[in-house]
Amino acid sequence: EQKHKETSAKLVERSAKETNAKEAMHKQAGQQARERVAKRGNTCGTDGWRPLCPGGCGVFAGSLLQDGMGSEMWGAMCVPIEAWTPHLKDMLYHLLMAAGFDSDRHGHVGALAAFHDTLSERRDPDGCICTQTWQALLAAGTLPLNEPEHCNHFLDETAALQHLVYRWDIGGKVTGRYCKYIKNTVARFQRENPLSADGRTKMWDWKMMLEYYGDPRVDDTGGHNQYQF
């Protein structure tokens, strides 16, 4: 019996050592990845795409980015996903789903990390969505969105767009279908900005709408879920 106890104790000790070794290797690999990102430079806040960090900015992103941004953009960027408004959480959820990454299983931050793993030469910091990630996410879905082509069926990318632009629209109904109301909403936004006012949602329309509607510190006051799968 004593010998059995000693053997069990040794096995537990060995298992603990192996676990600690794996954690150390994982931590080292993560640090090396972050150093590679730092050396390559990042695309946060440098060219008009609104940066958001659902995983929180952290010390790494903070030391790299804070000095290069104004306080307004920095403050909005560093809001963690837990403090995002419902519409912005749902926007990211549907963009990740459109790209094939399930936030229901992995959570928003976990699904984003899995998506980041697919990017070659990733420049955006861990937990952050900056120019490279926005463009890759949107390119993975349907572009451009248009009516009537995308009116008769549900698309996650349409639902994501509706959650974004209906944040303050009390008449907006999130259906996941790109019909006349969303097309007119997009066309109105395009007319008010230097965009082609055709009601079709393209990459550069997303860029400007994220800049205008994407501050997670501003409360939602409109938009109603009425999904039609």
Side-chain angles (χ1 to χ4, degrees):
E1 184 178 348
Q2 181 63 28
K3 188 175 181 180
H4 177 72
K5 289 181 178 179
E6 290 175 357
T7 301
S8 297
K10 289 180 180 179
L11 289 173
V12 170
E13 183 180 359
R14 184 189 305 168
S15 177
K17 287 181 179 179
E18 290 176 352
T19 299
N20 291 337
K22 288 179 181 179
E23 289 178 351
M25 290 176 61
H26 180 73
K27 185 176 181 181
Q28 183 180 16
Q31 179 62 32
Q32 290 172 345
R34 287 190 287 273
E35 289 173 357
R36 289 194 296 271
V37 172
K39 289 177 181 178
R40 288 197 297 267
N42 65 79
T43 61
C44 287
T46 59
D47 52 9
W49 285 86
R50 173 183 283 280
L52 292 173
C53 292
C57 286
V59 175
F60 168 71
S63 64
L64 280 178
L65 307 176
Q66 188 170 12
D67 292 342
M69 291 185 183
S71 58
E72 186 72 16
M73 181 177 287
W74 173 254
M77 171 184 174
C78 292
V79 176
I81 189 73
E82 294 80 8
W84 284 21
T85 68
H87 277 308
L88 286 183
K89 286 181 182 178
D90 287 342
M91 175 201 70
L92 179 57
Y93 169 87
H94 286 290
L95 283 180
L96 287 165
M97 290 292 286
F101 294 83
D102 191 347
S103 294
D104 286 327
R105 290 186 59 191
H106 307 292
H108 290 79
V109 176
L112 176 60
F115 181 76
H116 271 165
D117 287 343
T118 68
L119 302 181
S120 61
E121 297 297 312
R122 175 166 65 90
R123 300 183 299 278
D124 294 351
D126 295 344
C128 291
I129 311 171
C130 305
T131 299
Q132 184 188 27
T133 307
W134 282 126
Q135 291 179 342
L137 269 177
L138 294 169
T142 301
L143 284 174
L145 291 167
N146 195 24
E147 185 273 335
E149 292 95 313
H150 304 125
C151 180
N152 64 354
H153 58 283
F154 178 92
L155 286 174
D156 278 296
E157 41 272 75
T158 299
L161 177 70
Q162 291 171 329
H163 277 295
L164 180 66
V165 301
Y166 292 168
R167 290 188 65 197
W168 311 313
D169 183 350
I170 59 174
K173 298 176 181 178
V174 181
T175 63
R177 299 181 179 221
Y178 203 95
C179 299
K180 288 186 178 180
Y181 192 93
I182 182 63
K183 181 174 184 177
N184 291 339
T185 299
V186 170
R188 183 167 58 251
F189 181 87
Q190 291 168 330
R191 286 193 297 271
E192 295 170 352
N193 293 278
L195 297 165
S196 175
D198 57 6
R200 302 161 73 239
T201 301
K202 303 167 289 295
M203 182 75 75
W204 299 113
D205 300 310
W206 269 104
K207 178 181 178 180
M208 294 200 73
M209 288 188 286
L210 284 163
E211 176 64 25
Y212 184 78
Y213 293 105
D215 191 335
R217 300 169 302 179
V218 181
D219 291 338
D220 297 332
T221 57
H224 310 281
N225 287 347
Q226 293 190 359
Y227 293 141
Q228 300 175 15
F229 294 102

